[in-house]
Amino acid sequence: SFISLGIRVPIPPANVHRMPSEMNDPQEAAKSYEETLRRFFGPTKDGWPLFDAVLLGIGADGHTASLFPGSPVLNETRRWVCAPYVEKLSAYRLTLTLPVFNHAAQVIFLAAGQEKAAIVRDLIRQSPNERLDRRGSDLPAGRIHPVSGGLLYFVDRSAARFLETEREGKAG
């Protein structure tokens, strides 16, 4: 069983595939994980896995998973898994790529805290073509828009504070 958010979900252990982050070579770890996923999903209709649901966080800078603004991995169109070097963390990080997330049946973003309020407002208010940070860089979380799936945001009151202000302003 898989336990998340305090809920026990009966997922067979054979269906749980942990990223091999303990490997010394991040590029080999990404390759190994992608091979694991490809074996599990088998040949796919359009070349991408179909996750039933993907749960993602949002960073105050608009990053999600380990997809950070300005990363060359944001332009990946073939690989399922990459290991970009993240300058602000001085580390390599394993991440699924945007096409993987965009082929999921349901993408759910969670955001909590007032430091996320501006980015949540920008992501929800702007169209996918407008989702840029204040320096004009792509917001990685804003580049997630499932091809044929759903997109939900779950935010706490602090992360939604600018949304509430806009709604109240329009009502009055």
Side-chain angles (χ1 to χ4, degrees), residues 87-163:
E87 192 69 43
K88 86 185 265 181
L89 302 175
S90 299
Y92 286 92
R93 300 286 292 263
L94 292 175
T95 187
L96 297 176
T97 60
L98 286 171
V100 171
F101 295 128
N102 284 330
H103 283 82
Q106 183 69 54
V107 176
I108 304 159
F109 279 113
L110 294 179
Q114 67 181 8
E115 70 279 2
K116 309 285 178 70
I119 206 72
V120 165
R121 177 202 58 217
D122 292 349
L123 289 170
I124 291 174
R125 186 174 66 185
Q126 296 173 340
S127 75
N129 294 332
E130 298 174 318
R131 291 178 177 159
L132 303 175
D133 69 13
R134 287 169 178 72
R135 294 178 314 275
S137 297
D138 273 334
L139 297 175
R143 292 184 63 182
I144 294 181
H145 36 86
V147 174
S148 59
L151 179 63
L152 292 172
Y153 291 86
F154 287 98
V155 298
D156 70 359
R157 185 171 304 278
S158 295
R161 71 187 179 120
F162 293 142
L163 299 175

Side-chain angles (χ1 to χ4, degrees), residues 27-86:
Q27 303 310 321
E28 283 300 314
K31 182 179 175 186
S32 173
Y33 190 60
E34 182 165 335
E35 289 169 0
T36 297
L37 293 179
R38 286 183 184 275
R39 275 192 307 276
F40 178 76
F41 283 100
T44 60
K45 185 176 111 181
D46 59 2
W48 299 104
L50 176 59
F51 286 96
D52 293 323
V54 174
L55 182 62
L56 295 168
I58 302 171
D61 61 356
H63 87 271
T64 191
S66 284
L67 300 168
F68 285 82
S71 173
V73 173
L74 295 173
N75 299 314
E76 181 59 51
T77 60
R78 294 186 340 249
R79 292 166 40 200
W80 294 10
V81 183
C82 288
Y85 184 78
V86 179

